[in-house]
């Protein structure tokens, strides 16, 4: 008995270096993994799609959200790691490892 080979499903990830790229990638269910490179400043509030992950490329990765925004919003089965998140007085500051 032979079995058919199992097709490997490529994992698509987007590397973002600007706030507009982050806003476009967040919530896009066609992009399961978002990797942030560098430090993003004045990012708009964004919401991750179910199952979507957000990670930093290295130990200095940070996202600073626009003052008064809700910052990063999670939905279902999200993973966030290796990125410092900074929100204004309405939000909070978190370091996610």
């Amino acid at each position: 008995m032979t079995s058919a080979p199992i097709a490997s499903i490529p994992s698509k990830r987007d590397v973002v270096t600007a706030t507009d790229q982050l806003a476009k990638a967040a919530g896009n269910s066609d992009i399961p993994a978002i990797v942030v490179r560098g430090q993003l400043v004045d990012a708009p509030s964004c919401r991750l799609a179910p199952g979507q992950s957000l990670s930093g490329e290295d130990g200095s990765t940070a996202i600073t959200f626009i003052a008064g925004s809700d910052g990063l919003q999670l939905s279902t089965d999200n993973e966030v790691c290796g990125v410092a998140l900074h929100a204004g007085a309405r939000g909070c500051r978190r370091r996610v490892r």
Side-chain angles (χ1 to χ4, degrees):
M1 173 184 219
T2 61
S3 61
I6 298 173
S8 96
I9 301 171
S11 176
K12 183 175 179 188
R13 68 181 203 143
D14 249 16
V15 176
V16 299
T17 58
T19 59
D20 61 329
Q21 294 172 336
L22 174 63
K24 187 175 178 181
N28 182 342
S29 59
D30 291 333
I31 302 171
I34 303 168
V35 178
V36 179
R37 177 180 294 153
Q39 298 186 8
L40 307 184
V41 178
D42 290 335
S45 180
C46 54
R47 180 176 176 84
L48 296 181
Q52 199 170 41
S53 69
L54 177 73
S55 61
E57 186 175 65
D58 60 39
S60 66
T61 302
I63 302 171
T64 302
F65 293 95
I66 295 171
S69 76
D70 288 330
L72 180 65
Q73 301 171 30
L74 305 178
S75 57
T76 307
D77 297 325
N78 299 119
E79 182 177 334
V80 180
C81 63
V83 59
L85 304 174
H86 306 273
R90 220 176 119 192
C92 59
R93 178 181 172 171
R94 295 279 186 255
R95 178 73 185 170
V96 182
R97 296 182 189 259

